[in-house]
Amino acid sequence: MGHRRTELRRRKQRRLTRRTTLVAVAVAAGLVAGALGIHSALEPAASRTSVTATAGASADGAAAAAADGSSPGQTGAAEGATKAPATKHDQNTTPLKEIPKDQPERGMVYTGLNLPSSDGCAGLLQVAGSSLCSHGPDAAPEGVDIHKTVPPVADATASAPGPGGGSSQPPAADPSQAMPVPDTATAASPGAPVPDTASAASSGAPLPDPGTAASPGHARVPRPTATASPSAPVPHPTTTASPGAATPSPSKAPAGTEVVCDGDGTTGFRVQVLYVHGPDQDQFAAYKNSMKKWAADVDVIYRASAEQTGGNRHVRYVTDADCTASVLDIEVPAAALGNFGATNDALVAQGFNRRDRKYMLFTDAHVYCGLGNFAADDRPGQDNPSNFGPSYARVDAGCWSAHAAAHELGHNLGAVNNSAPDSSKHSHCVNQWDLMCYKDTSATQLKSVCPDYTNYDRLDCTHDNYYSTNPKPGGYLSSHWNVADNQFLIGGGPDRNNHTPVLPEVTITQLTATSVTFTFPHVPGASKFRLVINGQAGYPIPDNTRAPNNLVPMAGLKPGTDYEIAIEVVDADGKSSDPGRKTTFHTPAG
């Protein structure tokens, strides 16, 4: 018996060793390359971190459409079943008896949405010509005219679109631009700046209020904010900078458009951004970079919301070689723009119907503010239909914004089920200042339980309705569907409790001629972190889990000097990940 136990322990150790080796190889191969450092106009004066391009990004126009439809992708449950799992609704579903009346001035148009023909869309509407469900259109907020087109928020693309009008074919990644992998056993060179780890362990103050600016969305008119400049000045030595307010490094991507490059940019479950328009209305060149910017800001919302519960999530987009969301230029018949069902049918005809895709539609029309597919399935686990495609999140030109796109994507990902504690019973929630909450009917009463306006662009302000990376034991999300587990998010998916770590993103909060203070979030499973300075692995940093973030003051810098820092994650066995994406800054002259 003792010999058998010894052999079982040996087998377990060998499996653990193989798993650890595979994780290390995956990280070195760049499967989580650049999985941090996303800042945007949602965070004032935010600077850009440098990024390593990934080969194999999306193709252009018609070619990309063909590729998107050439493979059905995964067509069922998380373990690879051949058909999608059946929907299981919560017990608070009330079947609809009639379709609401149209209110076209508010974007409330129900053409193309039918009463359900089966239990699959119980309590919801069924998209005409398909088995997909939807809660219906979201009302435009007061003061928003859906018949006006939102102006661009980024400079127009300098190059003409490729064949078919879509994103241009990206160049292959330049290996010389990849971050060197340091010898983690090598100490930092003499005279290198030293982080004050004692302060790090005792500090960890929350990040400054990012002053999130909501764009036209659903219930309230947002407050304005300034767009971050790519040449933002270095903060004054005696002041605390906004997150990431160091001098940005050069990037091929337009300012504020970068997202996380995960893997080869195309394989697996991903969100594909589409610009959808009629035959005589193609504004792709003028709006391509704006749509990349809105997509990047959607990622900021999902990442920052995850940080509120001590985790890290990013939207897993189909990406171009410059680590921006791929945006495809898709023309459909003019008649197809008139309703959600017809638009989806036109996209299916072009091959945009993969099980491993969710489609974020910036539609050049003035019918809706926004609407999306929603399964209303509250069962936990990876077989939830919200965990699969195809599904479509449409935002029309009068409401183009990160807020509206993040809201409709939220429905695609499974928010908000009627069984949730603060559900409106109409696929939303009733908490004031929450991305998925608003007064969706005249009878809906909002609760002021989350008074901080910043939560207007954050998910699940109570962290127990639809999105949390650390569900409360015994809480609702411990036994119901949790959007943070969705496999369309980096850090979600079937391996969410044992995945290659989403490397922490570094945010500069204060900078002087001789010192810098930076923060980064906790990482599940990390025992500590190691700072990488100018490519050299150096000092360990403890994980201060008693504070919202790790806060690290570092002294000994030279005035007027460029620096580059990144973080390695060290697990309980002492094994280090490769360093995350580099954050660069330049100290003032003094």
Side-chain angles (χ1 to χ4, degrees):
M1 180 64 71
H3 174 74
R4 177 172 177 80
R5 287 177 179 154
T6 302
E7 180 61 25
L8 288 173
R9 282 197 298 269
R10 288 175 178 172
R11 290 180 182 176
K12 183 176 180 180
Q13 183 61 40
R14 285 196 294 269
R15 287 196 298 269
L16 179 61
T17 301
R18 286 196 298 270
R19 182 181 300 171
T20 303
T21 302
L22 288 173
V23 169
V25 171
V27 175
L31 292 182
V32 290
L36 49 132
I38 307 304
H39 298 288
S40 72
L42 289 176
E43 299 173 336
S47 69
R48 310 302 302 161
T49 53
S50 59
V51 66
T52 302
T54 304
S58 59
D60 56 7
D68 194 70
S70 62
S71 169
Q74 186 170 336
T75 57
E79 300 304 320
T82 57
K83 64 179 182 179
T87 299
K88 177 184 177 182
H89 293 286
D90 56 63
Q91 298 180 358
N92 295 316
T93 298
T94 301
L96 296 178
K97 297 181 179 179
E98 61 181 5
I99 297 175
K101 295 181 179 179
D102 288 349
Q103 300 177 61
E105 71 283 357
R106 302 182 65 206
M108 308 291 282
V109 176
Y110 292 87
T111 304
L113 299 172
N114 301 328
L115 292 176
S117 58
S118 66
D119 290 340
C121 292
L124 301 168
L125 296 169
Q126 185 168 342
V127 180
S130 78
S131 60
L132 297 178
C133 312
S134 175
H135 72 283
D138 284 305
E142 185 177 353
V144 171
D145 186 350
I146 66 165
H147 300 102
K148 295 181 179 179
T149 299
V150 171
V153 296
D155 291 339
T157 182
S159 58
S167 299
S168 300
Q169 177 68 39
D174 181 357
S176 67
Q177 298 302 312
M179 171 179 281
V181 180
D183 180 356
T184 55
T186 304
S189 58
V194 180
D196 182 353
T197 54
S199 297
S202 62
S203 301
L207 289 173
D209 180 1
T212 313
S215 299
H218 299 281
R220 297 163 290 276
V221 178
R223 63 183 177 184
T225 190
T227 302
S229 167
S231 58
V234 176
H236 189 277
T238 60
T239 61
T240 299
S242 298
T247 302
S249 58
S251 174
K252 294 180 181 179
T257 63
E258 294 167 339
V259 297
V260 169
C261 267
D262 182 62
D264 62 6
T266 58
T267 302
F269 291 82
R270 295 179 183 270
V271 175
Q272 172 69 66
V273 182
L274 305 178
Y275 167 58
V276 181
H277 62 92
D280 301 321
Q281 181 75 5
D282 190 345
Q283 301 186 83
F284 182 75
Y287 277 91
K288 174 185 173 183
N289 287 341
S290 293
M291 291 171 188
K292 288 177 178 283
K293 177 72 170 63
W294 288 319
D297 288 351
V298 168
D299 183 69
V300 169
I301 290 171
Y302 279 79
R303 183 267 299 163
S305 301
E307 287 182 0
Q308 291 183 337
T309 53
N312 202 333
R313 294 291 186 272
H314 288 279
V315 179
R316 184 179 282 110
Y317 285 110
V318 179
T319 50
D320 285 330
D322 59 358
C323 286
T324 62
S326 162
V327 182
L328 302 181
D329 183 5
I330 306 302
E331 179 182 307
V332 298
L337 298 174
N339 69 76
F340 190 48
T343 304
N344 295 357
D345 287 345
L347 294 174
V348 169
Q350 297 190 45
F352 294 102
N353 62 340
R354 289 174 58 159
R355 287 287 181 188
D356 58 357
R357 293 289 186 268
K358 292 187 184 290
Y359 299 99
M360 182 182 292
L361 280 54
F362 291 100
T363 306
D364 209 338
H366 298 89
V367 180
Y368 307 104
C369 181
L371 78 167
N373 294 122
F374 177 49
D377 190 317
D378 66 355
R379 84 183 92 176
Q382 293 295 293
D383 284 347
N384 191 296
S386 299
N387 215 28
F388 301 91
S391 57
Y392 306 86
R394 172 172 168 171
V395 179
D396 280 12
C399 286
W400 282 347
S401 63
H403 181 93
H407 181 105
E408 301 308 337
L409 179 63
H411 287 311
N412 280 188
L413 297 176
V416 177
N417 282 301
N418 285 351
S419 57
D422 296 315
S423 169
S424 69
K425 311 305 179 187
H426 297 282
S427 308
H428 297 100
C429 45
V430 297
N431 296 326
Q432 189 78 14
W433 310 132
D434 184 303
L435 184 115
M436 298 301 298
C437 300
Y438 80 103
K439 190 175 176 64
D440 50 10
T441 71
S442 58
T444 300
Q445 297 295 318
L446 298 179
K447 302 187 301 182
S448 184
V449 296
C450 302
D452 186 349
Y453 187 96
T454 300
N455 284 309
Y456 179 64
D457 265 334
R458 296 293 180 265
L459 300 161
D460 201 349
C461 69
T462 64
H463 315 309
D464 197 34
N465 280 294
Y466 61 91
Y467 187 87
S468 174
T469 62
N470 186 26
K472 304 170 186 175
Y476 173 79
L477 288 179
S478 67
S479 59
H480 293 80
W481 174 245
N482 184 353
V483 168
D485 291 343
N486 199 295
Q487 62 188 337
F488 285 86
L489 300 178
I490 299 171
D495 60 346
R496 63 195 179 282
N497 295 320
N498 189 30
H499 58 74
T500 302
V502 177
L503 302 179
E505 98 182 62
V506 174
T507 299
I508 305 297
T509 61
Q510 192 169 27
L511 183 64
T512 75
T514 59
S515 67
V516 65
T517 300
F518 59 89
T519 69
F520 60 92
H522 308 299
V523 174
S527 63
K528 60 183 177 181
F529 304 90
R530 185 173 287 113
L531 179 65
V532 178
I533 309 171
N534 294 341
Q536 294 297 316
Y539 305 94
I541 302 172
D543 186 13
N544 180 22
T545 56
R546 293 172 298 175
N549 291 280
N550 294 291
L551 182 80
V552 183
M554 185 168 66
L557 306 182
K558 295 180 180 180
T561 304
D562 290 322
Y563 286 94
E564 174 186 282
I565 58 176
I567 299 293
E568 294 177 350
V569 177
V570 183
D571 64 19
D573 296 325
K575 294 182 171 60
S576 296
S577 70
D578 282 356
R581 190 190 299 178
K582 300 170 286 187
T583 296
T584 61
F585 61 90
H586 182 85
T587 55

